[in-house]
Amino acid sequence: MKKLLKENGVSEYSIFLDEETDTLFAFQKNTGLVGSQDLANNKIVKKWWDFMADIMDVNPDNSPVSVPLEEVFLCRNNYLFLLPNIFKLKSS
Protein backbone atom coordinates (compact mmCIF):
# COMPACT_ATOMS: atom_id res chain seq x y z
CA MET A 1 0.00 0.00 0.00
CA LYS A 2 2.82 2.39 0.92
CA LYS A 3 4.55 1.87 -2.43
CA LEU A 4 1.30 2.24 -4.36
CA LEU A 5 0.44 5.53 -2.66
CA LYS A 6 3.94 6.92 -3.20
CA GLU A 7 3.92 5.92 -6.88
CA ASN A 8 0.64 7.82 -7.29
CA GLY A 9 1.78 11.04 -5.64
CA VAL A 10 0.45 10.57 -2.11
CA SER A 11 3.29 11.81 0.10
CA GLU A 12 1.47 11.68 3.45
CA TYR A 13 -1.58 9.73 4.52
CA SER A 14 -2.97 9.86 8.06
CA ILE A 15 -6.09 8.39 9.61
CA PHE A 16 -7.38 9.98 12.81
CA LEU A 17 -9.94 8.64 15.28
CA ASP A 18 -12.38 10.76 17.27
CA GLU A 19 -13.05 8.40 20.16
CA GLU A 20 -16.11 10.34 21.36
CA THR A 21 -17.97 9.81 18.09
CA ASP A 22 -16.10 6.76 16.71
CA THR A 23 -15.45 8.81 13.58
CA LEU A 24 -12.43 8.16 11.40
CA PHE A 25 -10.97 11.07 9.47
CA ALA A 26 -8.39 10.55 6.73
CA PHE A 27 -6.04 13.19 5.39
CA GLN A 28 -3.53 12.95 2.59
CA LYS A 29 -1.03 15.21 0.89
CA ASN A 30 -1.01 14.61 -2.82
CA THR A 31 1.63 15.81 -5.25
CA GLY A 32 0.40 13.76 -8.19
CA LEU A 33 -2.63 13.85 -10.43
CA VAL A 34 -4.50 11.09 -8.56
CA GLY A 35 -5.25 10.41 -4.92
CA SER A 36 -6.12 7.27 -3.02
CA GLN A 37 -9.79 7.61 -4.00
CA ASP A 38 -8.76 7.26 -7.65
CA LEU A 39 -7.19 3.86 -6.95
CA ALA A 40 -10.47 2.12 -6.18
CA ASN A 41 -9.96 -0.64 -8.75
CA ASN A 42 -6.51 -1.58 -7.48
CA LYS A 43 -6.34 -5.00 -5.77
CA ILE A 44 -4.04 -3.66 -3.03
CA VAL A 45 -6.54 -0.92 -2.17
CA LYS A 46 -9.41 -3.42 -2.13
CA LYS A 47 -7.41 -5.65 0.23
CA TRP A 48 -6.82 -2.62 2.50
CA TRP A 49 -10.55 -1.83 2.48
CA ASP A 50 -11.36 -5.43 3.42
CA PHE A 51 -8.82 -5.28 6.26
CA MET A 52 -10.27 -2.00 7.60
CA ALA A 53 -13.96 -2.84 7.07
CA ASP A 54 -14.60 -3.96 10.63
CA ILE A 55 -13.55 -0.59 12.10
CA MET A 56 -15.08 1.88 9.65
CA ASP A 57 -18.34 2.58 7.86
CA VAL A 58 -18.17 0.99 4.44
CA ASN A 59 -20.18 0.73 1.25
CA PRO A 60 -21.31 -2.69 -0.05
CA ASP A 61 -17.92 -3.12 -1.83
CA ASN A 62 -16.09 -2.32 1.46
CA SER A 63 -14.94 1.05 0.16
CA PRO A 64 -15.00 3.62 2.95
CA VAL A 65 -18.05 5.80 3.29
CA SER A 66 -16.84 9.34 2.74
CA VAL A 67 -18.43 12.69 3.41
CA PRO A 68 -17.21 15.71 1.46
CA LEU A 69 -15.89 18.44 3.73
CA GLU A 70 -15.55 22.10 2.89
CA GLU A 71 -12.08 23.56 3.38
CA VAL A 72 -12.32 26.74 5.47
CA PHE A 73 -8.67 27.46 6.35
CA LEU A 74 -5.43 27.02 4.45
CA CYS A 75 -1.80 27.79 5.30
CA ARG A 76 0.57 27.37 2.37
CA ASN A 77 4.09 28.72 1.85
CA ASN A 78 3.77 30.99 4.90
CA TYR A 79 0.52 32.53 3.63
CA LEU A 80 -2.70 32.12 5.60
CA PHE A 81 -6.05 31.97 3.86
CA LEU A 82 -9.49 32.14 5.44
CA LEU A 83 -11.67 30.73 2.73
CA PRO A 84 -14.92 32.65 2.05
CA ASN A 85 -17.36 30.17 3.55
CA ILE A 86 -15.78 30.39 7.02
CA PHE A 87 -18.07 33.31 7.70
CA LYS A 88 -21.13 31.04 7.49
CA LEU A 89 -19.94 29.25 10.64
CA LYS A 90 -20.56 32.18 12.97
CA SER A 91 -24.05 32.05 14.37
CA SER A 92 -25.84 35.17 15.53
Side-chain angles (χ1 to χ4, degrees):
M1 182 70 161
K2 179 180 165 184
K3 181 180 176 191
L4 177 67
L5 292 173
K6 184 176 181 179
E7 288 173 350
N8 285 277
V10 178
S11 61
E12 291 183 36
Y13 189 12
S14 299
I15 300 174
F16 300 90
L17 171 64
D18 179 341
E19 291 185 22
E20 289 184 22
T21 63
D22 281 339
T23 301
L24 291 175
F25 176 82
F27 169 82
Q28 61 182 253
K29 283 188 178 181
N30 188 337
T31 58
L33 298 176
V34 299
S36 63
Q37 298 299 326
D38 299 309
L39 302 173
N41 293 321
N42 186 285
K43 66 181 180 181
I44 296 170
V45 173
K46 289 179 183 271
K47 187 174 180 179
W48 173 252
W49 289 348
D50 293 342
F51 177 75
M52 296 291 289
D54 64 333
I55 64 166
M56 64 182 181
D57 293 334
V58 295
N59 296 305
D61 65 351
N62 276 350
S63 64
V65 171
S66 62
V67 177
L69 299 175
E70 186 172 358
E71 185 175 24
V72 295
F73 176 83
L74 173 65
C75 178
R76 180 179 293 152
N77 299 326
N78 293 322
Y79 293 96
L80 299 177
F81 302 92
L82 284 178
L83 303 174
N85 292 328
I86 186 77
F87 300 106
K88 287 191 223 175
L89 298 175
K90 186 175 180 181
S91 61
S92 47

